[in-house]
Amino acid sequence: MSTMSTLPTATAKSHIPVVDFAYNSEAGRQRVAQELITACKEVGFVYIVNHSLPESMLDEAFHWSRLFFDLPQELKLKAPHPDGWAVHRGYSWPGLEKVSQAMSGDGLDREQLREIPDFKESYDIGSDENVDQPNQWLPEEDLPGFRDFMHRFYWQCFRVGGEILRTLAVGLDLDENHLLTRHSGHNNQLRLLHYPPIPAVAIETDRAARCPAHTDWSSITMLFQDDCGGLEVEDVTQPGTFVPAPPLRNAIVMNVGDLLQRWSNDILMSTSHRVTLPPLPDRFEGSERMTRRRFSIPYFMSPDPDMLIQCIPSCVAEGEMAKYEPITQGNYNKMRASTNY
């Protein structure tokens, strides 16, 4: 990943904030917590810098991701995504998954959404102790060391995600561990993503998509990007307008998931985002306007399936009612996952 320090050039309201997690006092922690909450209320996305995930580990994660996706297809298919939507693990080849979701009022049904394929491939990993979501590992001899590293990276991401959830809790005037209740780490998901080269005209004419507009289902998502670009976030002040979220080296792009928006009674915002043509000058390879390859790694934090998601007390005013009925994470996930495959 090459150094990328330029941040989005957008209006103040659509600008994606940067929150620096380097603090050494309780006052500093309170300041960071309030900055994070403000970003989650107003934008739903934030760059987190000076977090505790080592730079060397991030570089290694992208190294292993490239090694995996460079394998011959017949080897990747030794760890296939199981049929259906119930288990979300293993390798998904281009066109298998449809992330697009019908936003309210867009008039699209699921069959219409499937007409535009998502041109990407992915590999999903979870906790080896989650028997309901069994991992689909390659045989060790096909990519020695891959499983061991991804296991360590998964739990390091959980540790850092826990730090973010504690900070959010502080900003919401809760006990710091409130949002970590029943977040054992065994229900999280690590995803390796590869967007292969594709003719730009296919995206420009809507014959293919990298990853169309969607929101995430999780509590929070932590995203790591390579230097290609292409991530865009909806400007909530101008619905339907998207602004770039350019790569910032070693930063976490953190966003609120639908579950946390529901949990917070819509106080924190789960914002639509997409991956499209990279905005950078070197987005094409060769004379045929083929897009560059893009790699990214999201990590989705979710409570355990039996966790009952009901309104956070500090997110509903006295005398008012919560907007949503309580629901377990497991039932919420089933409702959402059935639209994807």
Side-chain angles (χ1 to χ4, degrees):
M1 296 186 294
S2 63
T3 300
M4 188 74 189
S5 58
T6 303
L7 297 181
T9 55
T11 65
K13 289 186 178 180
S14 64
H15 184 94
I16 299 171
V18 179
V19 174
D20 189 339
F21 261 47
Y23 58 84
N24 54 17
S25 67
E26 182 57 29
R29 187 188 194 202
Q30 291 291 337
R31 173 186 53 77
V32 169
Q34 290 306 316
E35 288 179 0
L36 189 61
I37 288 295
T38 298
C40 291
K41 286 181 176 179
E42 296 181 356
V43 182
F45 270 75
V46 59
Y47 292 95
I48 295 177
V49 298
N50 291 319
H51 52 82
S52 63
L53 194 61
E55 177 181 345
S56 59
M57 180 165 258
L58 279 176
D59 288 341
E60 191 173 356
F62 277 94
H63 170 72
W64 281 110
S65 181
R66 289 183 176 89
L67 289 179
F68 174 84
F69 289 116
D70 283 343
L71 290 172
Q73 191 74 353
E74 61 268 22
L75 292 187
K76 289 182 284 190
L77 288 172
K78 289 184 178 182
H81 187 292
D83 290 338
W85 56 264
V87 176
H88 204 43
R89 298 289 183 264
Y91 173 67
S92 299
W93 51 94
L96 175 66
E97 182 184 11
K98 188 70 219 172
V99 167
S100 309
Q101 58 186 263
M103 300 299 182
S104 59
D106 64 7
L108 294 177
D109 60 29
R110 285 169 58 185
E111 293 307 312
Q112 288 175 299
L113 289 171
R114 292 182 187 277
E115 293 176 1
I116 304 174
D118 288 355
F119 194 69
K120 67 179 188 302
E121 53 182 344
S122 61
Y123 182 74
D124 291 293
I125 303 164
S127 166
D128 278 335
E129 297 180 40
N130 186 340
V131 296
D132 295 325
Q133 295 283 319
N135 279 319
Q136 311 293 309
W137 293 110
L138 289 175
E140 179 66 15
E141 62 269 19
D142 288 332
L143 194 57
F146 175 76
R147 178 174 180 172
D148 176 69
F149 174 80
M150 287 301 162
H151 176 80
R152 289 186 287 112
F153 185 59
Y154 177 94
W155 288 106
Q156 283 294 305
C157 287
F158 172 61
R159 178 186 60 77
V160 175
E163 294 172 356
I164 295 172
L165 286 176
R166 287 189 183 94
T167 305
L168 284 169
V170 169
L172 291 171
D173 296 321
L174 303 169
D175 176 85
E176 68 169 12
N177 290 314
H178 185 95
L179 298 182
L180 273 172
T181 302
R182 304 308 306 279
H183 272 82
S184 67
H186 297 304
N187 201 34
N188 298 339
Q189 179 181 330
L190 171 64
R191 163 165 276 204
L192 309 181
L193 276 166
H194 172 227
Y195 299 85
I198 185 174
V201 67
I203 296 177
E204 293 165 344
T205 58
D206 293 329
R207 287 188 285 115
R210 277 187 149 180
C211 187
H214 65 283
T215 55
D216 295 338
W217 318 342
S218 49
S219 300
I220 61 171
T221 302
M222 301 186 298
L223 174 71
F224 310 102
Q225 303 189 76
D226 70 1
D227 66 347
C228 180
L231 175 65
E232 295 183 344
V233 174
E234 187 170 28
D235 181 347
V236 297
T237 68
Q238 303 179 64
T241 300
F242 288 77
V243 297
L248 179 61
R249 179 169 171 81
N250 297 325
I252 297 172
V253 181
M254 191 281 284
N255 63 281
V256 174
D258 295 344
L259 200 65
L260 183 55
Q261 175 170 312
R262 183 187 184 109
W263 203 353
S264 69
N265 210 36
D266 291 347
I267 296 296
L268 307 182
M269 186 181 305
S270 179
T271 304
S272 181
H273 51 286
R274 67 188 185 187
V275 178
T276 185
L277 289 176
L280 306 181
D282 59 350
R283 64 183 178 179
F284 300 130
E285 294 180 338
S287 59
E288 298 180 3
R289 298 180 70 244
M290 295 290 290
T291 61
R292 287 179 58 198
R293 302 174 76 187
R294 179 179 186 266
F295 295 88
S296 66
I297 304 175
Y299 186 88
F300 305 97
M301 294 277 290
S302 294
D304 297 339
D306 60 352
M307 171 67 178
L308 188 66
I309 303 301
Q310 51 190 339
C311 184
I312 295 168
S314 63
C315 292
V316 60
E318 186 175 351
E320 292 186 358
M321 297 289 292
K323 296 181 179 180
Y324 303 99
E325 293 293 325
I327 188 173
T328 64
Q329 189 279 337
N331 285 335
Y332 181 78
N333 199 63
K334 287 177 185 177
M335 177 181 69
R336 296 298 302 275
S338 62
T339 67
N340 256 44
Y341 287 88

